[in-house]
């Protein structure tokens, strides 16, 4: 084969399909890459040639985002008339799924985001094929490739070399496909239908979740069929015990996977449907198995970090659910009452229980955490769930030189990589919780500082009102003395009692003074709290470096695992290096936990104090408002008393007595020991001078009312 035809340049061989070789070609003019699949002519039977032509024909008729897209063969690369047809396809730069699964970080399965994308896409593609009466018959990781489109990974099925067009409910007898992913009926040459794709899809999805195939991987076919046939309809996995004397079946996924709990439970039920031994029962349900899979992959889940236990709580969310509904579930699971649940988002804002829960669900293609749960009040640190090491990891920690066999050795190291990776993720989440708590504290502090400014203004205005009130009383007293000197009518019991009452009020009105002192004390407390908050804003020493250290351990564990699986004689390698990483990870994790939790506890204690002082400041502002209203009311009633004297001098005896009596009764807390004032005015007419004095007093009182109704004038 030449390396160049026209503008098309051969780059490399990509792999082998069912009947041919796939190569990569690059167009120097258009900068386009395409994959060309050519049928191998040597040792090719007539049957294989027929299958090859069928693949080319099928590929040309199909169009689905998750099926490899067929392209026109460039004229420069077209086959000779005597040669079999070529198949041109889009190039998927991400390689095949097998290469992805072999990466150290995926040794125990893909991430939740990747599983959602893969299961949804491949399930949709198989459903599309079945609707077009096509059974793939050879679904496996090697026949799934990855392509990035608009920043999103698409998983595409390739190699339809064994695909067969079937009539509805038709059965086929030919034995094709890859043994490790074959449905059970194919081992005994029983007729089969599209249900074989259900089994293969279930096996692929299980492997992507866990990192290994579900039923006795690497067991010879005859033994495999004999043992796995004993499974119940709901069993989704089987493994040998340590001495290989017994097969252990399970209806659950292993704990070491990257799925949240609700998603794992849904996948378990779906896998029980897809991995049934009997073909007629496989995939059968009241609902289409592909529709069920799509619902699972699009499931909305809210994830909440319970900071006290450093454990993740996950709940499926419906459209009508509110945060209060989620809080009820949290209360049941954690025994934290709803009224003690303090929920904040990543920005540190308190979450309203009436908000829709969907608002706080991460995009199902994202794994970012968005909600953090604290217990209101003082924080109690509890033991974290899943603290123990996985069983295989615990074995090598206790016996670093133990020989577990190639598969057991690999599983133990894979679980170690998973455990160290999870530790880094768990404490990354704890750092996010720390950051959210810090932001929430800063928001509370900003609110307190605004409250402090408001209190200082109110204190200033209250002092000004108090001084103005006292000055007004002094003015009234002086005018009253002058009127008594010029009028024998006022020189009576009533006039004398008015002057005595006002004099006593000016001396004994001390309530605003104690209120002012209380306000000043609160202002000083807020200033001290602000200084403490500024100190807490600094990151705890070394925590960021420790998190980076955990990531370093994760990378070292992955490199050790990669070195192990490529070693010539891996079974002879002891576990010392991996065990050392485990020990160092333990130490760093515990140190990080202690430092972060101490700082988070200090933040929460500060917030508790902040809430207390804020409530006290709110009460202070309420009391200031009442005091100012009392002062304003006193001024108003005194003014009305004087006006009534001018308007009805002949009724001044009754009116004056009633008005002043009401004035004194309005302030029982300010002058509770004052006697009731009875004004007995016995004269019917005032002298001209007394009237003039009263008018002067009223003018001054009108000015005071304007003053009290507009406190900002005091500035």
């Amino acid at each position: 084969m030449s390396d160049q035809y026209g503008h098309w340049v051969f780059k490399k061989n990509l792999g082998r399909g069912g009947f041919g070789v796939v190569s990569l070609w690059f167009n120097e003019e258009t900068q386009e890459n395409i994959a060309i699949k050519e049928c191998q002519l040597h040792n090719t039977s007539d049957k294989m040639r027929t299958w090859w032509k069928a693949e080319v024909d099928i590929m040309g008729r199909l169009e689905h985002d998750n099926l490899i897209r067929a392209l026109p063969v460039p004229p420069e690369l077209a086959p000779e008339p005597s040669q079999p047809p070529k198949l041109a396809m889009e190039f998927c730069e991400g390689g095949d799924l097998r290469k992805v699964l072999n990466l150290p970080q995926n040794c125990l399965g893909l991430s939740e985001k990747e599983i959602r994308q893969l299961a949804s896409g491949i399930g949709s593609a198989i459903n599309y094929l079945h609707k077009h009466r096509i059974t793939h018959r050879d679904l496996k990781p090697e026949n799934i490739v990855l392509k990035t489109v608009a920043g999103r990974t698409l998983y595409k099925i390739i190699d339809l070399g064994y695909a067969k067009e079937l009539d509805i409910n038709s059965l086929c007898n030919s034995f094709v496909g890859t043994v490790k992913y074959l449905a059970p009926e194919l081992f005994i040459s029983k007729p089969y239908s599209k249900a074989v794709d259900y089994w293969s899809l279930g096996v692929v999805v299980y492997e992507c979740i866990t990192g290994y195939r579900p039923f006795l991987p690497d067991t010879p076919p005859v033994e495999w069929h004999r043992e796995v046939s004993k499974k119940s309809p709901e069993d989704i996995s089987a493994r040998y015990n340590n001495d290989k004397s017994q097969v252990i079946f399970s209806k659950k996924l292993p704990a070491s996977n990257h799925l949240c709990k609700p998603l794992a439970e849904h996948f378990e039920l779906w896998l029980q449907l897809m991995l049934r031994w009997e073909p007629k029962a496989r995939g059968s349900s009241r609902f289409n198995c592909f529709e069920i899979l799509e619902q699972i992959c699009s499931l909305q889940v809210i994830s909440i970090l319970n900071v006290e236990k450093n454990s993740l709580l996950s709940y499926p969310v419906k459209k009508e659910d509110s945060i209060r509904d989620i809080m009820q579930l949290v209360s049941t699971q954690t025994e934290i009452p709803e009224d003690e649940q303090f929920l904040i988002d990543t920005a540190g804002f308190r979450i309203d229980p009436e908000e829709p829960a969907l608002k706080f669900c991460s995009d199902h293609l994202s794994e970012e955490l968005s909600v953090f749960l604290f217990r209101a009040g003082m924080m109690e640190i509890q033991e974290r769930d899943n603290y123990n090491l996985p069983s295989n990891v615990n074995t090598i920690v206790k016996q670093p030189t133990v020989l577990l066999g190639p598969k057991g050795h690999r599983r133990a190291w894979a679980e170690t990589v998973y455990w160290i990776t999870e530790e880094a993720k768990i404490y990354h989440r704890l750092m996010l919780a720390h950051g959210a708590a810090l932001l929430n504290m800063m928001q509370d502090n900003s609110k307190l500082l605004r409250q402090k400014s408001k209190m200082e203004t109110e204190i200033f205005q209250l002092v000004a009102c108090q001084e103005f009130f006292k000055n007004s009383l002094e003015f009234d007293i002086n005018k009253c003395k002058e009127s008594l000197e010029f009028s024998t009518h006022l020189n009576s019991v009533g006039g004398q009692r008015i002057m005595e009452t006002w004099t006593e009020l000016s001396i004994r009105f001390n309530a605003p003074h104690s209120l002012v002192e209380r306000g000043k004390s609160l202002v000083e407390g807020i200033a001290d709290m602000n200084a403490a908050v500024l100190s807490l804003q600094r990151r705890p020493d070394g925590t960021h470096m420790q998190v980076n250290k955990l990531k370093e351990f994760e990378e070292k564990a992955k490199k050790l695992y990669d070195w192990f699986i490529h070693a010539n004689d891996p079974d002879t390698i002891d576990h010392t290096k991996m065990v050392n990483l485990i020990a160092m990870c333990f130490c760093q994790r515990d140190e990080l936990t202690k430092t972060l939790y101490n700082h988070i506890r200090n933040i929460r204690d500060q917030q508790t104090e902040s809430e207390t002082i804020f409530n006290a400041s709110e009460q202070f502002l309420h009391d200031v408002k009442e005091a100012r209203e009392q002062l304003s009311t006193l001024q108003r009633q005194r003014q009305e008393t004087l006006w009534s004297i001018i308007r009805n001098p002949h009724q001044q005896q009754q009116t004056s007595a009633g008005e002043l009596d009401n004035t004194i009764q309005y302030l029982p807390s300010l002058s509770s020991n004052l006697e009731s004032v009875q004004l007995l005015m016995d004269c019917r007419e005032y002298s001209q001078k007394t009237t003039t004095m009263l008018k002067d007093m009223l003018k001054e009182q009108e000015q005071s009312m304007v003053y009290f109704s507009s406190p900002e004038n005091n500035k």
Side-chain angles (χ1 to χ4, degrees):
M1 178 188 296
S2 173
D3 288 341
Q4 184 163 359
Y5 292 90
H7 294 294
W8 290 98
V9 179
F10 170 78
K11 303 298 290 184
K12 61 179 179 179
N13 284 324
L14 297 174
R16 294 181 178 274
F19 313 112
V21 177
V22 183
S23 56
L24 175 63
W25 292 79
F26 175 71
N27 190 304
E28 294 179 321
E29 183 179 31
T30 64
Q31 304 295 300
E32 178 187 5
N33 284 303
I34 63 170
I36 298 291
K37 186 174 183 179
E38 300 179 70
C39 181
Q40 294 177 310
L41 294 176
H42 61 282
N43 298 325
T44 303
S45 65
D46 291 340
K47 189 174 185 179
M48 292 184 69
R49 285 175 178 267
T50 301
W51 278 345
W52 167 248
K53 291 180 180 179
E55 178 179 3
V56 175
D57 177 60
I58 290 173
M59 288 293 297
R61 292 188 281 113
L62 300 178
E63 186 175 353
H64 189 279
D65 286 344
N66 297 102
L67 290 173
I68 196 73
R69 182 164 52 92
L71 301 172
V73 178
E76 300 93 325
L77 302 178
E80 297 294 332
S82 60
Q83 294 178 328
K86 292 183 179 181
L87 179 61
M89 301 170 289
E90 62 178 322
F91 171 61
C92 295
E93 72 287 346
D96 64 48
L97 182 59
R98 173 59 62 203
K99 294 178 181 177
V100 175
L101 289 172
N102 284 341
L103 294 174
Q105 61 265 33
N106 298 325
C107 57
L108 285 186
L110 304 179
S111 68
E112 180 178 306
K113 171 186 174 181
E114 292 170 316
I115 291 169
R116 284 180 184 260
Q117 289 178 317
L118 179 138
S120 174
I122 300 305
S124 177
I126 294 295
N127 189 30
Y128 174 85
L129 290 175
H130 288 183
K131 287 181 177 179
H132 286 75
R133 298 185 299 177
I134 297 172
T135 303
H136 190 279
R137 303 195 297 175
D138 194 25
L139 187 64
K140 57 184 178 180
E142 290 80 359
N143 283 341
I144 298 173
V145 294
L146 288 71
K147 184 179 181 67
T148 302
V149 178
R152 180 181 175 184
T153 300
L154 283 180
Y155 295 84
K156 293 174 175 278
I157 296 176
I158 62 170
D159 199 353
L160 297 181
Y162 290 124
K164 185 176 182 65
E165 294 189 77
L166 302 175
D167 294 330
I168 298 176
N169 298 323
S170 66
L171 300 175
C172 184
N173 290 287
S174 58
F175 184 86
V176 297
T178 304
V179 174
K180 296 175 182 178
Y181 297 88
L182 284 180
E185 57 268 28
L186 294 176
F187 281 90
I188 54 177
S189 299
K190 288 179 62 176
Y192 61 87
S193 66
K194 63 182 181 180
V196 297
D197 283 348
Y198 296 161
W199 179 276
S200 298
L201 178 60
V203 172
V204 169
V205 170
Y206 185 97
E207 183 175 5
C208 289
I209 293 174
T210 65
Y212 50 89
R213 293 184 298 280
F215 300 107
L216 304 179
D218 305 308
T219 301
V222 175
E223 179 185 346
W224 183 94
H225 192 276
R226 182 183 67 246
E227 297 297 338
V228 178
S229 64
K230 301 173 184 177
K231 82 180 208 66
S232 72
E234 290 77 26
D235 289 330
I236 62 173
S237 68
R239 64 177 179 84
Y240 280 113
N241 61 358
N242 292 335
D243 60 4
K244 293 191 175 182
S245 61
Q246 182 183 1
V247 175
I248 301 173
F249 293 98
S250 176
K251 299 175 177 60
K252 300 287 185 180
L253 288 168
S256 299
N257 66 72
H258 301 285
L259 297 180
C260 65
K261 185 177 179 181
L263 204 61
E265 291 173 347
H266 280 75
F267 266 112
E268 285 169 352
L269 295 175
W270 181 80
L271 287 168
Q272 290 174 11
L273 189 67
M274 304 300 282
L275 296 177
R276 292 182 177 176
W277 190 261
E278 290 298 325
K280 292 182 179 180
R282 193 180 306 144
S284 62
S285 170
R286 290 187 303 160
F287 305 100
N288 182 288
C289 61
F290 297 109
E291 293 177 357
I292 296 173
L293 180 60
E294 184 57 35
Q295 290 174 5
I296 293 172
C297 293
S298 59
L299 183 69
Q300 293 286 353
V301 176
I302 184 170
S303 295
I304 303 172
L305 181 66
N306 181 6
V307 180
E308 275 190 348
K309 298 184 69 174
N310 197 9
S311 62
L312 200 60
L313 310 173
S314 299
Y315 306 99
V317 174
K318 300 187 293 294
K319 183 178 180 180
E320 63 272 17
D321 288 339
S322 68
I323 289 296
R324 190 175 299 281
D325 297 319
I326 303 302
M327 292 173 70
Q328 293 174 358
L329 298 175
V330 170
S331 179
T332 301
Q333 184 174 350
T334 66
E335 297 184 353
I336 301 177
E338 290 181 50
D339 58 353
E340 293 184 18
Q341 294 178 28
F342 185 83
L343 295 174
I344 59 175
D345 61 18
T346 51
F349 291 105
R350 182 80 179 265
I351 298 176
D352 185 348
E354 303 308 321
E355 290 197 80
L358 281 176
K359 178 180 176 181
F360 300 94
C361 291
S362 300
D363 180 355
H364 66 271
L365 298 181
S366 170
E367 297 177 351
E368 287 299 318
L369 194 61
S370 58
V371 182
F372 303 93
L373 167 66
F374 297 86
R375 188 189 294 267
M378 306 302 289
M379 188 172 178
E380 299 177 6
I381 307 301
Q382 302 177 27
E383 190 75 7
R384 197 189 81 210
D385 289 340
N386 302 322
Y387 190 84
N388 294 330
L389 291 169
S391 59
N392 288 311
V393 179
N394 198 43
T395 298
I396 65 173
V397 168
K398 292 179 178 179
Q399 304 177 62
T401 59
V402 65
L403 297 178
L404 301 175
K407 300 303 177 183
H409 200 140
R410 181 168 181 166
R411 178 65 63 84
W413 281 39
E415 289 184 358
T416 301
V417 172
Y418 171 84
W419 182 80
I420 294 177
T421 300
E422 283 299 297
E423 290 302 311
K425 287 169 60 177
I426 287 169
Y427 289 97
H428 171 69
R429 292 198 295 256
L430 189 59
M431 286 292 292
L432 291 178
H434 171 264
L438 199 59
L439 289 172
N440 184 257
M441 179 188 68
M442 293 166 64
Q443 291 166 14
D444 286 350
N445 189 55
S446 297
K447 184 169 66 173
L448 264 183
L449 291 176
R450 291 193 295 270
Q451 194 84 328
K452 173 177 173 288
S453 177
K454 186 176 180 181
M455 288 169 62
E456 289 172 334
T457 300
E458 291 294 329
I459 290 171
F460 175 81
Q461 293 179 352
L462 180 61
V463 170
C465 289
Q466 181 186 13
E467 290 300 318
F468 194 90
F469 178 71
K470 292 179 69 175
N471 292 337
S472 298
L473 282 175
E474 291 176 2
F475 179 84
D476 292 344
I477 291 169
N478 292 334
K479 291 296 183 181
C480 188
K481 287 180 179 180
E482 292 180 15
S483 66
L484 289 173
E485 293 175 0
F486 288 96
S487 175
T488 57
H489 300 290
L490 285 177
N491 193 12
S492 62
V493 176
Q496 190 65 33
R497 291 296 297 275
I498 289 175
M499 189 180 72
E500 291 175 357
T501 299
W502 286 348
T503 301
E504 190 169 356
L505 279 176
S506 67
I507 296 172
R508 301 185 62 179
F509 188 72
N510 292 321
H513 176 74
S514 61
L515 197 58
V516 167
E517 292 304 313
R518 195 174 105 207
K520 289 180 178 179
S521 176
L522 287 172
V523 167
E524 291 175 0
I526 293 175
D528 293 340
M529 186 164 292
N530 181 55
V533 167
L534 292 176
S535 176
L536 284 172
Q537 287 181 28
R538 293 190 290 271
R539 185 189 297 272
D541 293 338
T543 53
H544 186 65
M545 181 178 65
Q546 287 174 315
V547 173
N548 289 339
K549 197 69 175 178
L550 288 177
K551 295 295 291 183
E552 288 179 18
F553 294 152
E554 178 185 345
E555 294 305 316
K556 288 181 179 179
K558 291 175 182 176
K559 289 180 180 179
L560 273 177
Y561 178 82
D562 190 56
W563 166 73
F564 165 77
I565 62 177
H566 291 97
N568 293 328
D569 193 7
D571 194 34
T572 62
I573 300 173
D574 67 28
H575 310 283
T576 303
K577 291 183 179 180
M578 195 64 91
V579 170
N580 288 339
L581 276 180
I582 295 171
M584 288 188 288
C585 185
F586 257 120
C587 294
Q588 290 291 332
R589 182 196 68 179
D590 292 344
E591 183 179 350
L592 175 61
T593 300
K594 181 179 179 180
T595 303
L596 270 186
Y597 268 131
N598 284 338
H599 202 251
I600 292 174
R601 184 188 290 108
N602 291 337
I603 290 173
R604 292 295 300 138
D605 291 348
Q606 190 70 30
Q607 287 179 290
T608 301
E609 293 181 23
S610 174
E611 184 176 357
T612 300
I613 199 169
F614 181 83
N615 292 336
S617 66
E618 284 285 281
Q619 183 61 48
F620 167 78
L621 292 174
H622 177 268
D623 293 345
V624 167
K625 180 181 178 182
E626 284 192 343
R628 288 179 57 185
E629 288 176 352
Q630 289 174 345
L631 288 171
S632 180
T633 301
L634 180 59
Q635 290 285 78
R636 185 181 300 108
Q637 290 189 352
R638 288 169 57 241
Q639 189 173 11
E640 289 174 354
T641 299
L642 295 174
W643 271 109
S644 66
I645 293 174
I646 293 176
R647 286 195 300 266
N648 303 299
H650 60 283
Q651 296 178 355
Q652 61 186 342
Q653 177 178 345
Q654 294 84 358
T655 303
S656 299
E659 293 291 340
L660 281 176
D661 191 44
N662 289 338
T663 299
I664 301 303
Q665 290 178 5
Y666 186 79
L667 294 171
S669 61
L670 301 180
S671 54
S672 58
N673 295 325
L674 294 179
E675 299 176 358
S676 300
V677 179
Q678 299 294 327
L679 299 179
L680 303 174
M681 307 299 291
D682 54 358
C683 60
R684 295 180 61 87
E685 295 181 357
Y686 287 103
S687 64
Q688 185 65 36
K689 187 173 182 178
T690 301
T691 302
T692 302
M693 289 180 182
L694 288 173
K695 288 182 178 180
D696 290 341
M697 292 171 66
L698 288 171
K699 182 177 180 181
E700 190 273 337
Q701 295 296 332
E702 288 175 349
Q703 293 174 350
S704 72
M705 290 307 298
V706 172
Y707 180 88
F708 277 95
S709 62
S710 302
E712 60 273 10
N713 293 333
N714 295 329
K715 299 179 182 179

